[in-house]
Amino acid sequence: MVEVNLLRRYPKSKRDIKKRHKGQTRKNIAISRRYAKEYFDGSRDVGYGGYHYDGRWIPIAEDIVEHFGLKAGDRVLDVGCAKGFLVKDLKIVCPGLEAFGLDISDYALRHCEPEVVGRLHLGTADSLPFPDRSFQAVISINTVHNLERRRCVQAVREIERLAPGRGYIQVDSYRTVEEKEIFLDWVLTAKTHYDPAGWNKLFTEAGYTGDYYWTITE
């Protein structure tokens, strides 16, 4: 496993942590975990506050293609693809790449980008409906931590099964007490969370040999 930040060129957004803390109600958490319209295109208190394509995934797609040496004809899967923005941009930066996505949200898939219609699958990260070793790379960004620990471990195993040694998993995490407090205020959907050492232990338990990194809320 290699710690590598493939999202280093993702633009940082300004977040009102105190405002989100006020939204940390059981009701809002329950709404966000439905991954429906409210989560993607509703109030900022329960999700993105509007999830629209703006091309910001282009540089990340470029780095993914370079990191894995992907080329036309290769197959790559984005686990937790939402509306398919990264799938779309992977195809833009690498013409001929067979890029696919999977997400639990029926709403997101029904409101996906036109260019990825037919490439996105409805499903869960811990039960990926594809044969062993069927992808040259499998990406999962800020998704597997949304499952309970047992299912989270299984999701990591599934990613390894589809692309042994050629996965990339990024999860929400924290390194200090202060960062953990911000994490608990900000992240609505995560059901499993650890510091980096805890995540590395989970990856090892799952037999994961791919690459990884952390999303630290600041």
Side-chain angles (χ1 to χ4, degrees):
M1 295 190 298
V2 176
E3 182 177 321
V4 55
N5 183 8
L6 293 184
L7 268 72
R8 63 185 182 276
R9 293 201 282 161
Y10 190 83
K12 290 188 176 182
S13 59
K14 295 182 179 180
R15 298 173 173 178
D16 189 338
I17 300 298
K18 293 182 178 179
K19 183 177 180 180
R20 173 58 67 89
H21 176 72
K22 294 179 181 178
Q24 279 282 20
T25 65
R26 290 185 179 182
K27 180 179 179 180
N28 283 352
I29 291 172
I31 291 172
S32 70
R33 290 178 177 175
R34 294 173 192 157
Y35 304 106
K37 179 178 180 179
E38 295 86 353
Y39 178 70
F40 289 98
D41 297 316
S43 167
R44 191 69 168 123
D45 289 338
V46 297
Y48 288 99
Y51 193 64
H52 309 294
Y53 180 82
D54 61 6
R56 70 176 59 193
W57 288 95
I58 287 283
I60 289 84
E62 291 172 345
D63 290 344
I64 289 171
V65 168
E66 180 180 1
H67 180 74
F68 289 105
L70 298 174
K71 60 186 184 303
D74 284 346
R75 289 166 53 87
V76 60
L77 176 67
D78 178 17
V79 178
C81 65
K83 295 181 181 180
F85 298 166
L86 178 56
V87 175
K88 173 179 176 176
D89 288 349
L90 283 166
K91 290 180 61 59
I92 289 174
V93 304
C94 185
L97 182 68
E98 294 295 331
F100 300 91
L102 177 140
D103 202 273
I104 196 172
S105 172
D106 177 69
Y107 173 82
L109 300 189
R110 287 189 291 105
H111 293 81
C112 70
E113 291 295 289
E115 295 86 350
V116 298
V117 170
R119 292 185 171 272
L120 308 185
H121 300 262
L122 182 67
T124 62
D126 59 335
S127 183
L128 300 176
F130 307 100
D132 295 357
R133 300 175 179 269
S134 52
F135 292 90
Q136 277 66 52
V138 176
I139 314 300
S140 186
I141 297 171
N142 296 341
T143 295
V144 299
H145 57 230
N146 293 332
L147 300 171
E148 298 88 352
R149 190 183 190 284
R150 176 185 58 81
R151 296 183 63 199
C152 184
V153 171
Q154 180 59 27
V156 175
R157 287 174 176 159
E158 283 286 271
I159 291 169
E160 180 72 15
R161 178 179 67 82
L162 298 192
R166 293 178 65 81
Y168 179 76
I169 298 174
Q170 186 150 333
V171 289
D172 282 315
S173 187
Y174 40 78
R175 298 159 298 195
T176 65
V177 172
E178 292 76 17
E179 287 177 350
K180 184 175 182 179
E181 289 177 352
I182 294 174
F183 169 91
L184 294 174
D185 278 350
W186 184 259
V187 180
L188 294 171
T189 58
K191 295 181 179 179
T192 299
H193 57 87
Y194 295 107
D195 62 9
W199 277 113
N200 273 310
K201 183 177 179 180
L202 185 148
F203 291 153
T204 299
E205 176 184 338
Y208 182 64
T209 61
D211 302 329
Y212 60 90
Y213 203 67
W214 328 111
T215 298
I216 307 293
T217 303
E218 299 175 338

